[in-house]
Amino acid sequence: MKMYIGGEWVDRSENGEVVNPYDNSVIDTVPSASIEDLDSAIASAVRGAKAMADMSAYDRFLMLRKTADILQERTEEFARILSMEEGKIIGEGRVEVGRAVQTISLSGEEAKRLYGETLPMDAAPGWTGQLGFTLRVPCGVVAAISPFNFPLNLVAHKVGPALAAGNAVIIKPASDTPLSAIKLTEALLEAGAPAEAVQCVTGSGSRLGDPLVSDPRVRKVTFTGSRDVGERICRTAGLTKVTMELGSNSPLIVMPDADIDKVVAGTISSGFANAGQVCISAQRIIASRDIYGDYLDALTQGVERIQTGDQLDESVTMGPMVRAEDASRVNEWIQEAVSSGARALIGGEYSGAMHAPTVLADVQPDMRVSREELFGPAVAVTPFSDIDEAIEMANQSNYGLSAGIFTQNVDWAMRFAREVDSGNLHINSGPGFRADLMPYGGLKESGMGKEGPRYAIQEMTETKTVVFHP
Ligand code: NAP
C-alpha cells in the first residue's frame, strides 16, 4: 500500500514489509518515509488545519458519520486486514472494527458539543462592565502515534477526536501494523475529509519520531505505546501539549467470597485476549489464600480449552503474538520466574510467534513477570492473606492503568475503588474491560491525559478567553 502525504498517495523505493506473524508470509509493503517526506506532511497538515478550521462543526459531524458508515459496511475487509497484520483472531478483528465504528461515530457527535462558557466578570472586584466568555479552538496540527496492538481502533481514538475538534492530523502507525491505518485514511477521504487534513506517514518511529514531535508546527502529540518511548517523546516534544497512553501490568484481586466460575471467565477474557497484548491485560492475579487452590485448578482447566493456531481459522481462540522476538522474550521471563520458584501450571512453551497460554502460580511480586509489563499470554498468580495485603500488592507497581476485583462485599469493593491507584477500576470484572465512550487513561507511569472521544477532544482543543470592555 502507499502512504498519504500532501494530498497524494505516494510510494518510495525504500519500503518495509508487513508480515502475517502466524506463517511469516508477506501481506504487503509500505513506503519508508524520508525526513523530507515527513516535512512535506507537516507543511501540508498546516494547510489542512486551515481547511478544517473553515469546516463547520456540522460538516465535521457528517464527515465522521459517513466514515463510520463506510467502516461498518466494510467490516469484513477491515477485520481480515487487521487480523492478518496483527495476529489477533478474526472474531477479535470484527469486534475491533465494531469498536472503531463506535469511536468515530462518538467523535462525530462530540463535534457538535464544543462549548465555551460565559464568565461572571462582575464577580471580580472593581468590575466596570466587562463581558467575558471563552471559546474552544482546535490546536492546529495533531501528531497521532499509535501502537501495533489495536491498529484500527486506537488510530480511530486519535483521528476521530482530532478531526471532530477541527484539527488536521498526521498519523504515524506502528510499523508492524500500518495497513489498517492506511485503509482508515482512505475511508476518511472518501467520506469528505479535506485532502490535506489527514496525512498517513509510514516508516520507523525511532527515525521519524524526534523530528515529528519536536517540530514547532505540530501543536499536539497524542501517543499510545510503551512507557519508554512515551518518556522520550515528552522530553523531545518540549512546549507542546501531549497525551500519553502507556503500558501497565494490571492487577486482578480475587477475594475469598468471589464466584470462581466468573473469576475464571474474567481472568481468561482479560488475560489472554489478543494473546495478552492489551495494555489493560490482567497480568498480576492477586488471589486469596482461602480459594487459591480451587481457583488455580479451575483456571488451569479453563486455559486448557484455549485453542491456539491460525488467527483466520474461526475455531481458533488465540492467535500468535505480533513478532517471534516477543514470544521469545515472554518465554524468557516465564523461565526466569520458574527458575526462581514459580510453578508453570500450564503452558510455558513457544514456537515462532506462537506462545502457549500460560498460568504461573506462586509468583513473587519482585519477579520480572510480575514487576514489569509482560504484554503476552500469561498470568502471574500470587496469594494474599487479607484485603490490606491485596491492596498493597496491587499498588506495588510503577503503572496504574486498570485494575479489577471480584467480591460481593461492598466494603471491600469501596476500599478497592478508593485505595487502588489506577485510572480504571472494575468491580466484578477483569481489568481488560473498556467501552470506547469512557474516560480512559492511566495514573503514575501509565501516562497522562484521557482518551474517549469526549475527553480526547478536550485535550485536542485550547481555550481562548475573550473580554469585551465598556
Ligand atoms: P512502542 O514500541 O512504544 O511503539 C508505539 C509507536 O511509537 C509505534 O508507532 C512506533 O513506531 C512509535 N515509536 C517508536 N519509537 C519512537 C520514537 N522515538 N518517537 C516517536 N515514536 C516512536 O509500542 P508498541 O510495542 O507498538 O505497543 C505496545 C505498548 O503500547 C505497550 O506498552 C502497551 O501497554 C501500550 N499500549 C497502551 C495503551 C493505552 O491506551 N494506555 C493501548 C495500547 C497499547 P514503530 O512501530 O515504527 O517502531
Side-chain angles (χ1 to χ4, degrees):
M1 290 186 191
K2 295 177 179 172
M3 62 182 170
Y4 185 75
I5 290 181
E8 285 175 10
W9 291 101
V10 296
D11 213 347
R12 292 287 176 260
S13 53
E14 204 176 311
N15 57 29
E17 290 180 342
V18 184
V19 170
N20 177 340
Y22 178 67
D23 57 10
N24 274 325
S25 58
V26 177
I27 313 165
D28 212 326
T29 60
V30 293
S32 301
S34 63
I35 300 300
E36 292 70 36
D37 289 327
L38 181 66
D39 187 64
S40 306
I42 299 172
S44 172
V46 171
R47 295 188 292 273
K50 261 189 88 32
M52 286 302 293
D54 291 341
M55 196 173 179
S56 72
Y58 189 70
D59 286 344
R60 302 199 299 269
F61 153 71
L62 286 179
M63 180 260 287
L64 288 166
R65 191 177 68 178
K66 188 159 180 209
T67 306
D69 289 344
I70 294 170
L71 287 184
Q72 180 128 40
E73 280 159 22
R74 299 186 195 154
T75 296
E76 206 52 34
E77 181 189 343
F78 273 90
R80 274 188 73 83
I81 287 172
L82 65 90
S83 172
M84 279 197 293
E85 66 179 345
E86 204 267 355
K88 66 182 58 187
I89 56 170
I90 183 72
E92 289 174 335
R94 292 184 191 114
V95 169
E96 184 171 345
V97 180
R99 288 184 57 187
V101 170
Q102 281 298 307
T103 305
I104 297 284
S105 309
L106 286 164
S107 301
E109 289 296 332
E110 291 301 329
K112 297 187 274 184
R113 296 185 194 123
L114 283 161
Y115 297 106
E117 59 180 345
T118 53
L119 303 172
M121 299 302 291
D122 60 336
W127 178 63
T128 56
Q130 292 90 347
L131 172 67
F133 57 90
T134 64
L135 294 172
R136 284 208 82 79
V137 297
C139 295
V141 175
V142 174
I145 305 175
S146 55
F148 75 83
N149 62 334
F150 286 87
L152 181 64
N153 193 35
L154 292 182
V155 177
H157 266 290
K158 301 184 179 315
V159 171
L163 294 177
N167 298 288
V169 61
I170 301 170
I171 308 167
K172 207 315 274 173
S175 294
D176 288 311
T177 57
L179 305 180
S180 309
I182 295 175
K183 295 296 286 180
L184 177 62
T185 305
E186 271 175 30
L188 286 161
L189 294 167
E190 195 178 324
E196 296 189 284
V198 188
Q199 318 280 327
C200 187
V201 181
T202 52
S204 153
S206 54
R207 193 167 47 79
L208 300 170
D210 285 1
L212 174 61
V213 304
S214 63
D215 193 296
R217 294 169 291 180
V218 171
R219 296 308 314 142
K220 164 81 194 176
V221 176
T222 169
F223 172 75
T224 301
S226 58
R227 181 215 164 281
D228 291 356
V229 173
E231 187 177 35
R232 182 189 174 105
I233 290 174
C234 288
R235 290 186 197 286
T236 315
L239 296 176
T240 300
K241 278 164 80 84
V242 293
T243 297
M244 290 285 139
E245 300 287 344
L246 310 178
S248 178
N249 53 2
S250 300
L252 170 59
I253 299 176
V254 187
M255 296 307 289
D257 62 344
D259 175 328
I260 295 291
D261 290 342
K262 282 191 185 159
V263 183
V264 167
T267 312
I268 291 176
S269 63
S270 277
F272 299 96
N274 199 23
Q277 300 162 113
V278 182
C279 50
I280 47 179
S281 281
Q283 179 179 331
R284 296 179 293 138
I285 316 294
I286 301 165
S288 165
R289 288 186 194 280
D290 295 352
I291 45 85
Y292 192 67
D294 292 346
Y295 168 63
L296 288 176
D297 288 347
L299 179 61
T300 307
Q301 283 168 25
V303 170
E304 227 164 32
R305 287 194 285 272
I306 298 175
Q307 283 290 328
T308 58
D310 180 351
Q311 71 271 28
L312 293 175
D313 177 338
E314 301 278 352
S315 66
V316 162
T317 54
M318 196 189 94
M321 296 187 68
V322 72
R323 288 171 292 248
E325 305 94 87
D326 286 274
S328 154
R329 174 191 55 79
V330 163
N331 197 260
E332 193 185 313
W333 292 19
I334 288 171
Q335 297 313 327
E336 196 178 288
V338 169
S339 63
S340 309
R343 287 182 292 137
L345 302 183
I346 185 167
E349 64 282 342
Y350 77 106
S351 164
M354 187 69 71
H355 197 292
T358 300
V359 175
L360 282 175
D362 306 345
V363 172
Q364 295 296 321
D366 61 354
M367 292 176 180
R368 190 144 61 143
V369 75
S370 181
R371 199 181 66 234
E372 294 184 21
E373 181 179 36
L374 180 70
F375 223 58
V379 291
V381 191
T382 306
F384 72 84
S385 300
D386 60 27
I387 182 84
D388 292 324
E389 193 187 8
I391 289 174
E392 190 186 323
M393 279 185 186
N395 283 335
Q396 261 171 19
S397 172
N398 297 339
Y399 294 115
L401 184 54
S402 190
I405 189 170
F406 277 92
T407 183
Q408 297 305 311
N409 180 315
V410 175
D411 292 338
W412 286 339
M414 288 290 282
R415 281 200 59 189
F416 165 78
R418 286 217 168 91
E419 296 176 34
V420 172
D421 303 326
S422 174
N424 299 286
L425 294 146
H426 295 284
I427 294 150
N428 290 323
S429 160
F433 177 87
R434 179 180 186 183
D436 293 286
L437 55 76
M438 289 174 10
Y440 179 90
L443 308 186
K444 302 197 275 187
E445 294 182 19
S446 289
M448 54 201 167
K450 296 287 180 223
E451 286 199 338
R454 177 173 167 199
Y455 310 93
I457 275 190
Q458 297 296 314
E459 312 251 345
M460 293 184 186
T461 47
E462 314 242 34
T463 299
K464 280 184 175 177
T465 300
V466 182
V467 182
F468 275 68
H469 293 260

